[in-house]
Amino acid sequence: MTRPLEPEFVGRTYDDWLFRPQHGVAGSRRDVSLRSRLTSRVPLELPLVSANMDSVTGAGMAKTLALEGGIGIVHRAMTIEAQVEKVARVKRSHGHVVEQPLRLPRGTTLREARAYTRQHNITGILIEESRGSGVLAGLLSNRDMPWAGGGEDRPVEAFMTPASKLVTGRPDIGVEDAERLMFERRIEKLPLVDAEGRIRGLITKKDIILSRHQPHSNRDAKGRLRVGAAIGARGDFLERTAELIRVGVDVLVIDIAHGHSDVMRQAVEALRGRFSEAELVCGNVGTAEGAAFLRDIGAAAIKVGIGPGRGCRTRLETAAGVPQLQAIREAWCAVQDTVPIIADGGVRDDKDIFLALACGASSVMLGSMLSGTDEAPGHVIEDPATGQKRKIYRGMTSPQAVFEALYDDDNAEAVEAALDQPAEGQEVQIPYKGPVRDILHRIRGHLRSAVSYGGGESLAEVRQKVVAEPLRYLVPLSDASRAESYDR
Ligand code: XMP
């Protein structure tokens, strides 16, 4: 199952190669599939993952990545509560089913109900028998409230459609059945109730239509957007994992700088003991031995990259590292397609993404390329002299990121451990780039073109061909040919 690394990859990375154009067979670029996988259980329509960094992935970034067919990994440099809240926010948004619909008790006045629906920007509200009972009493929609005002101090039960007259669905109703029922009965909201009449969810026409418009979005079996979250290997990681699983996280990324280590093995054993079903991505490693080690301890995907990242100083400070395309190829030769590989860090141009995938990765994690966007956490800074707008991007072990995370953390052990470790990351300012969707669309377009030059109709088809014998397809560059290719 293991095969030797082709010696031509030693010491080489993205800018050392071009791809030899093949006979094109793809028709319209729009039809070129980029389908891949993060892990065997998590498919991707766009093979991109946003990095678990505090200047890259919060709820907004993760939501957009999933809507576009990729996935975001929410960073962990914050309290458990804060991270869980972000993951829960992604899981709640744009799903077919609102799992915890807002509700008011039947004694609420019309005035209070109006204020509540306005505050939450909703067009109707479920009414329960008594506060906290969860038993469906009725539905109060905007249409039920007198639009000219009046009756403001009367209870909502005088206006709502009572449960006895409502169309409801079973909690496990599928989206197609729900849609048919809603059309037949001409309703826009379908409360889901169990045999005891308790509220178990809500399906709205608006959410169904929204998800129709995003056919490639990355959703779980319940129609909720998929999202990942980073955890550590020590301290509160078990507690953090329990809470993240409780709100429906799809994949956990055990994110440590040196993943080929006893610390990683112990963390995976501890996690497996308590959460046998959890999807555990492990990293980072940069060698064949590291990849085989992570496969053997049961990683669901292997994150590859020691020091290529834009915010990293690891190679400068410690000399540890492997050129990124070599590292990806080594990892693939070690595990082949038994465990998917995530190429993490060092992507500067869109072509790097294609090369990573063609040489063995199944997905590519991006940090700096997605930073500086509206969805990246942090503020836009405007230079008063030049008017240039920028955002901060920083390595997670940069002094700035470490201090901010600690500020949020009253765990003395974590504070001490972090202060003990010299910085291996740095902070840089990135020009403000606008919505991340534009970047994802650009990458999607370039990847489709690359597939077309690769002589296939889908990424999977080209990858399968190239990964088996990459040297047939790759052209090594001299300094002169590199200058001809990239100097503009
Ligand atoms: P790019 O190049 O996409 O890289 O910005 C993102 C990846 O960089 C890694 N990372 C770090 N590596 N010290 C490091 O050695 C750090 O402080 C640091 N912060 C992030 C990480 O793998 C990320 O996904």
mmCIF file of all heavy atoms in Angstrom, residues 74-87 229-231 236 239-241 243-244 404-411 414:
data_model
loop_
_atom_site.group_PDB
_atom_site.id
_atom_site.type_symbol
_atom_site.label_atom_id
_atom_site.label_comp_id
_atom_site.label_asym_id
_atom_site.label_seq_id
_atom_site.Cartn_x
_atom_site.Cartn_y
_atom_site.Cartn_z
ATOM 1 N N VAL A 74 -13.889 26.219 12.381
ATOM 2 C CA VAL A 74 -13.900 27.326 13.345
ATOM 3 C C VAL A 74 -12.711 27.171 14.298
ATOM 4 O O VAL A 74 -12.491 26.086 14.854
ATOM 5 C CB VAL A 74 -15.240 27.349 14.117
ATOM 6 C CG1 VAL A 74 -15.218 28.411 15.208
ATOM 7 C CG2 VAL A 74 -16.400 27.580 13.150
ATOM 8 N N HIS A 75 -11.956 28.240 14.461
ATOM 9 C CA HIS A 75 -10.732 28.177 15.268
ATOM 10 C C HIS A 75 -11.047 27.963 16.754
ATOM 11 O O HIS A 75 -12.210 28.047 17.158
ATOM 12 C CB HIS A 75 -9.892 29.443 15.048
ATOM 13 C CG HIS A 75 -10.474 30.674 15.682
ATOM 14 N ND1 HIS A 75 -10.121 31.071 16.946
ATOM 15 C CD2 HIS A 75 -11.374 31.580 15.252
ATOM 16 C CE1 HIS A 75 -10.785 32.176 17.256
ATOM 17 N NE2 HIS A 75 -11.541 32.503 16.237
ATOM 18 N N ARG A 76 -10.031 27.703 17.543
ATOM 19 C CA ARG A 76 -10.269 27.355 18.951
ATOM 20 C C ARG A 76 -9.658 28.344 19.925
ATOM 21 O O ARG A 76 -9.621 28.070 21.136
ATOM 22 C CB ARG A 76 -9.750 25.955 19.232
ATOM 23 C CG ARG A 76 -8.236 25.822 19.110
ATOM 24 C CD ARG A 76 -7.820 24.406 19.413
ATOM 25 N NE ARG A 76 -6.455 24.128 19.028
ATOM 26 C CZ ARG A 76 -5.424 24.145 19.869
ATOM 27 N NH1 ARG A 76 -5.593 24.472 21.134
ATOM 28 N NH2 ARG A 76 -4.222 23.846 19.425
ATOM 29 N N ALA A 77 -9.176 29.477 19.436
ATOM 30 C CA ALA A 77 -8.531 30.432 20.343
ATOM 31 C C ALA A 77 -9.585 31.275 21.060
ATOM 32 O O ALA A 77 -9.603 32.499 20.951
ATOM 33 C CB ALA A 77 -7.573 31.323 19.562
ATOM 34 N N MET A 78 -10.499 30.592 21.721
ATOM 35 C CA MET A 78 -11.567 31.272 22.453
ATOM 36 C C MET A 78 -12.162 30.281 23.446
ATOM 37 O O MET A 78 -11.818 29.097 23.426
ATOM 38 C CB MET A 78 -12.638 31.771 21.476
ATOM 39 C CG MET A 78 -13.208 30.704 20.571
ATOM 40 S SD MET A 78 -14.347 31.411 19.373
ATOM 41 C CE MET A 78 -13.940 30.460 17.921
ATOM 42 N N THR A 79 -13.055 30.788 24.272
ATOM 43 C CA THR A 79 -13.655 29.902 25.265
ATOM 44 C C THR A 79 -14.505 28.842 24.568
ATOM 45 O O THR A 79 -14.919 29.020 23.419
ATOM 46 C CB THR A 79 -14.589 30.692 26.210
ATOM 47 O OG1 THR A 79 -15.610 31.280 25.408
ATOM 48 C CG2 THR A 79 -13.848 31.763 26.983
ATOM 49 N N ILE A 80 -14.786 27.774 25.299
ATOM 50 C CA ILE A 80 -15.650 26.719 24.747
ATOM 51 C C ILE A 80 -17.006 27.313 24.353
ATOM 52 O O ILE A 80 -17.512 27.060 23.258
ATOM 53 C CB ILE A 80 -15.846 25.592 25.790
ATOM 54 C CG1 ILE A 80 -14.505 24.914 26.073
ATOM 55 C CG2 ILE A 80 -16.888 24.589 25.324
ATOM 56 C CD1 ILE A 80 -14.551 23.850 27.155
ATOM 57 N N GLU A 81 -17.559 28.155 25.224
ATOM 58 C CA GLU A 81 -18.894 28.712 24.962
ATOM 59 C C GLU A 81 -18.896 29.504 23.648
ATOM 60 O O GLU A 81 -19.804 29.392 22.832
ATOM 61 C CB GLU A 81 -19.353 29.652 26.095
ATOM 62 C CG GLU A 81 -19.572 28.984 27.430
ATOM 63 C CD GLU A 81 -18.257 28.573 28.105
ATOM 64 O OE1 GLU A 81 -17.260 29.319 27.958
ATOM 65 O OE2 GLU A 81 -18.217 27.509 28.746
ATOM 66 N N ALA A 82 -17.848 30.315 23.462
ATOM 67 C CA ALA A 82 -17.807 31.163 22.264
ATOM 68 C C ALA A 82 -17.686 30.310 21.003
ATOM 69 O O ALA A 82 -18.358 30.561 19.999
ATOM 70 C CB ALA A 82 -16.637 32.146 22.359
ATOM 71 N N GLN A 83 -16.861 29.277 21.052
ATOM 72 C CA GLN A 83 -16.686 28.437 19.858
ATOM 73 C C GLN A 83 -17.977 27.656 19.554
ATOM 74 O O GLN A 83 -18.400 27.565 18.400
ATOM 75 C CB GLN A 83 -15.513 27.471 20.062
ATOM 76 C CG GLN A 83 -15.101 26.768 18.776
ATOM 77 C CD GLN A 83 -14.043 25.690 18.994
ATOM 78 O OE1 GLN A 83 -13.914 25.159 20.106
ATOM 79 N NE2 GLN A 83 -13.291 25.376 17.951
ATOM 80 N N VAL A 84 -18.591 27.146 20.624
ATOM 81 C CA VAL A 84 -19.825 26.380 20.462
ATOM 82 C C VAL A 84 -20.927 27.273 19.870
ATOM 83 O O VAL A 84 -21.686 26.863 18.989
ATOM 84 C CB VAL A 84 -20.258 25.797 21.829
ATOM 85 C CG1 VAL A 84 -21.709 25.356 21.825
ATOM 86 C CG2 VAL A 84 -19.350 24.628 22.184
ATOM 87 N N GLU A 85 -20.964 28.514 20.324
ATOM 88 C CA GLU A 85 -21.980 29.439 19.814
ATOM 89 C C GLU A 85 -21.793 29.650 18.312
ATOM 90 O O GLU A 85 -22.753 29.686 17.540
ATOM 91 C CB GLU A 85 -21.877 30.763 20.594
ATOM 92 C CG GLU A 85 -22.995 31.752 20.337
ATOM 93 C CD GLU A 85 -22.744 32.604 19.102
ATOM 94 O OE1 GLU A 85 -21.565 32.933 18.795
ATOM 95 O OE2 GLU A 85 -23.724 32.923 18.408
ATOM 96 N N LYS A 86 -20.548 29.741 17.868
ATOM 97 C CA LYS A 86 -20.277 29.963 16.434
ATOM 98 C C LYS A 86 -20.680 28.729 15.609
ATOM 99 O O LYS A 86 -21.291 28.846 14.559
ATOM 100 C CB LYS A 86 -18.797 30.293 16.213
ATOM 101 C CG LYS A 86 -18.465 31.692 16.709
ATOM 102 C CD LYS A 86 -17.030 32.058 16.419
ATOM 103 C CE LYS A 86 -16.772 33.536 16.652
ATOM 104 N NZ LYS A 86 -17.184 34.032 17.971
ATOM 105 N N VAL A 87 -20.325 27.569 16.106
ATOM 106 C CA VAL A 87 -20.696 26.332 15.396
ATOM 107 C C VAL A 87 -22.231 26.210 15.334
ATOM 108 O O VAL A 87 -22.806 25.916 14.280
ATOM 109 C CB VAL A 87 -20.059 25.102 16.075
ATOM 110 C CG1 VAL A 87 -20.650 23.802 15.548
ATOM 111 C CG2 VAL A 87 -18.551 25.120 15.860
ATOM 112 N N ALA A 229 -14.685 22.148 13.518
ATOM 113 C CA ALA A 229 -14.142 22.972 14.598
ATOM 114 C C ALA A 229 -12.813 22.379 15.035
ATOM 115 O O ALA A 229 -12.628 21.159 15.027
ATOM 116 C CB ALA A 229 -15.108 23.002 15.777
ATOM 117 N N ALA A 230 -11.906 23.274 15.405
ATOM 118 C CA ALA A 230 -10.597 22.827 15.872
ATOM 119 C C ALA A 230 -10.638 22.559 17.369
ATOM 120 O O ALA A 230 -11.348 23.238 18.118
ATOM 121 C CB ALA A 230 -9.557 23.900 15.571
ATOM 122 N N ILE A 231 -9.890 21.532 17.787
ATOM 123 C CA ILE A 231 -9.696 21.277 19.219
ATOM 124 C C ILE A 231 -8.196 21.065 19.429
ATOM 125 O O ILE A 231 -7.462 20.845 18.468
ATOM 126 C CB ILE A 231 -10.481 20.030 19.705
ATOM 127 C CG1 ILE A 231 -10.100 18.813 18.851
ATOM 128 C CG2 ILE A 231 -11.973 20.273 19.647
ATOM 129 C CD1 ILE A 231 -10.685 17.509 19.370
ATOM 130 N N ASP A 236 -8.593 21.476 28.093
ATOM 131 C CA ASP A 236 -10.047 21.280 28.104
ATOM 132 C C ASP A 236 -10.572 20.563 26.856
ATOM 133 O O ASP A 236 -11.750 20.612 26.557
ATOM 134 C CB ASP A 236 -10.747 22.639 28.243
ATOM 135 C CG ASP A 236 -10.481 23.540 27.023
ATOM 136 O OD1 ASP A 236 -9.895 23.053 26.039
ATOM 137 O OD2 ASP A 236 -10.872 24.712 27.073
ATOM 138 N N GLU A 239 -13.760 18.270 27.108
ATOM 139 C CA GLU A 239 -14.962 19.041 27.434
ATOM 140 C C GLU A 239 -15.423 19.833 26.190
ATOM 141 O O GLU A 239 -16.599 19.876 25.851
ATOM 142 C CB GLU A 239 -14.552 20.005 28.528
ATOM 143 C CG GLU A 239 -15.639 20.611 29.322
ATOM 144 C CD GLU A 239 -15.014 21.651 30.247
ATOM 145 O OE1 GLU A 239 -13.815 21.536 30.601
ATOM 146 O OE2 GLU A 239 -15.738 22.598 30.582
ATOM 147 N N ARG A 240 -14.453 20.431 25.524
ATOM 148 C CA ARG A 240 -14.732 21.196 24.302
ATOM 149 C C ARG A 240 -15.397 20.285 23.256
ATOM 150 O O ARG A 240 -16.391 20.629 22.637
ATOM 151 C CB ARG A 240 -13.399 21.762 23.769
ATOM 152 C CG ARG A 240 -13.535 22.865 22.750
ATOM 153 C CD ARG A 240 -12.162 23.435 22.410
ATOM 154 N NE ARG A 240 -11.660 24.424 23.327
ATOM 155 C CZ ARG A 240 -11.883 25.743 23.237
ATOM 156 N NH1 ARG A 240 -12.580 26.230 22.241
ATOM 157 N NH2 ARG A 240 -11.402 26.573 24.146
ATOM 158 N N THR A 241 -14.830 19.097 23.095
ATOM 159 C CA THR A 241 -15.372 18.153 22.110
ATOM 160 C C THR A 241 -16.811 17.788 22.444
ATOM 161 O O THR A 241 -17.680 17.777 21.563
ATOM 162 C CB THR A 241 -14.505 16.876 22.083
ATOM 163 O OG1 THR A 241 -13.179 17.266 21.739
ATOM 164 C CG2 THR A 241 -15.012 15.866 21.085
ATOM 165 N N GLU A 243 -19.063 19.442 24.008
ATOM 166 C CA GLU A 243 -19.977 20.557 23.724
ATOM 167 C C GLU A 243 -20.150 20.769 22.223
ATOM 168 O O GLU A 243 -21.241 21.072 21.748
ATOM 169 C CB GLU A 243 -19.450 21.848 24.370
ATOM 170 C CG GLU A 243 -19.567 21.845 25.875
ATOM 171 C CD GLU A 243 -21.015 21.685 26.308
ATOM 172 O OE1 GLU A 243 -21.831 22.550 25.994
ATOM 173 O OE2 GLU A 243 -21.332 20.642 26.934
ATOM 174 N N LEU A 244 -19.059 20.627 21.474
ATOM 175 C CA LEU A 244 -19.149 20.815 20.011
ATOM 176 C C LEU A 244 -20.022 19.729 19.387
ATOM 177 O O LEU A 244 -20.825 19.996 18.497
ATOM 178 C CB LEU A 244 -17.746 20.807 19.396
ATOM 179 C CG LEU A 244 -16.897 22.041 19.705
ATOM 180 C CD1 LEU A 244 -15.421 21.786 19.397
ATOM 181 C CD2 LEU A 244 -17.397 23.259 18.916
ATOM 182 N N GLU A 404 -4.178 37.421 22.618
ATOM 183 C CA GLU A 404 -5.620 37.642 22.562
ATOM 184 C C GLU A 404 -6.380 36.411 23.046
ATOM 185 O O GLU A 404 -7.362 36.503 23.754
ATOM 186 C CB GLU A 404 -6.056 38.010 21.157
ATOM 187 C CG GLU A 404 -7.380 38.740 21.201
ATOM 188 C CD GLU A 404 -7.582 39.542 19.945
ATOM 189 O OE1 GLU A 404 -6.709 40.371 19.626
ATOM 190 O OE2 GLU A 404 -8.591 39.320 19.296
ATOM 191 N N ALA A 405 -5.897 35.223 22.661
ATOM 192 C CA ALA A 405 -6.567 34.000 23.095
ATOM 193 C C ALA A 405 -6.504 33.874 24.617
ATOM 194 O O ALA A 405 -7.467 33.497 25.270
ATOM 195 C CB ALA A 405 -5.914 32.794 22.441
ATOM 196 N N LEU A 406 -5.356 34.246 25.169
ATOM 197 C CA LEU A 406 -5.190 34.127 26.612
ATOM 198 C C LEU A 406 -6.085 35.106 27.351
ATOM 199 O O LEU A 406 -6.609 34.833 28.419
ATOM 200 C CB LEU A 406 -3.738 34.404 27.001
ATOM 201 C CG LEU A 406 -2.741 33.385 26.453
ATOM 202 C CD1 LEU A 406 -1.346 33.753 26.892
ATOM 203 C CD2 LEU A 406 -3.093 32.001 26.935
ATOM 204 N N TYR A 407 -6.298 36.227 26.724
ATOM 205 C CA TYR A 407 -7.127 37.254 27.297
ATOM 206 C C TYR A 407 -8.521 36.705 27.552
ATOM 207 O O TYR A 407 -9.217 37.072 28.469
ATOM 208 C CB TYR A 407 -7.193 38.405 26.282
ATOM 209 C CG TYR A 407 -7.720 39.680 26.832
ATOM 210 C CD1 TYR A 407 -6.954 40.442 27.710
ATOM 211 C CD2 TYR A 407 -8.978 40.139 26.467
ATOM 212 C CE1 TYR A 407 -7.443 41.611 28.212
ATOM 213 C CE2 TYR A 407 -9.470 41.313 26.961
ATOM 214 C CZ TYR A 407 -8.705 42.049 27.831
ATOM 215 O OH TYR A 407 -9.189 43.210 28.328
ATOM 216 N N ASP A 408 -8.886 35.758 26.679
ATOM 217 C CA ASP A 408 -10.213 35.156 26.695
ATOM 218 C C ASP A 408 -10.258 33.943 27.628
ATOM 219 O O ASP A 408 -11.270 33.303 27.744
ATOM 220 C CB ASP A 408 -10.484 34.664 25.268
ATOM 221 C CG ASP A 408 -11.904 34.944 24.859
ATOM 222 O OD1 ASP A 408 -12.512 35.793 25.502
ATOM 223 O OD2 ASP A 408 -12.365 34.303 23.891
ATOM 224 N N ASP A 409 -9.142 33.588 28.206
ATOM 225 C CA ASP A 409 -9.026 32.283 28.845
ATOM 226 C C ASP A 409 -8.565 32.451 30.297
ATOM 227 O O ASP A 409 -7.512 33.020 30.544
ATOM 228 C CB ASP A 409 -7.958 31.507 28.059
ATOM 229 C CG ASP A 409 -8.081 30.015 28.285
ATOM 230 O OD1 ASP A 409 -8.512 29.631 29.380
ATOM 231 O OD2 ASP A 409 -7.735 29.273 27.366
ATOM 232 N N ASP A 410 -9.357 31.931 31.224
ATOM 233 C CA ASP A 410 -8.891 32.064 32.594
ATOM 234 C C ASP A 410 -8.234 30.766 33.079
ATOM 235 O O ASP A 410 -8.049 30.543 34.262
ATOM 236 C CB ASP A 410 -10.021 32.508 33.533
ATOM 237 C CG ASP A 410 -11.272 31.682 33.304
ATOM 238 O OD1 ASP A 410 -11.146 30.599 32.689
ATOM 239 O OD2 ASP A 410 -12.346 32.112 33.736
ATOM 240 N N ASN A 411 -7.880 29.923 32.132
ATOM 241 C CA ASN A 411 -7.238 28.662 32.459
ATOM 242 C C ASN A 411 -5.728 28.887 32.668
ATOM 243 O O ASN A 411 -4.975 29.096 31.724
ATOM 244 C CB ASN A 411 -7.511 27.696 31.296
ATOM 245 C CG ASN A 411 -6.825 26.368 31.485
ATOM 246 O OD1 ASN A 411 -5.948 26.218 32.336
ATOM 247 N ND2 ASN A 411 -7.216 25.405 30.675
ATOM 248 N N ALA A 414 -3.244 26.868 30.612
ATOM 249 C CA ALA A 414 -3.111 27.267 29.208
ATOM 250 C C ALA A 414 -2.237 28.511 29.080
ATOM 251 O O ALA A 414 -1.395 28.614 28.196
ATOM 252 C CB ALA A 414 -4.494 27.548 28.612
#
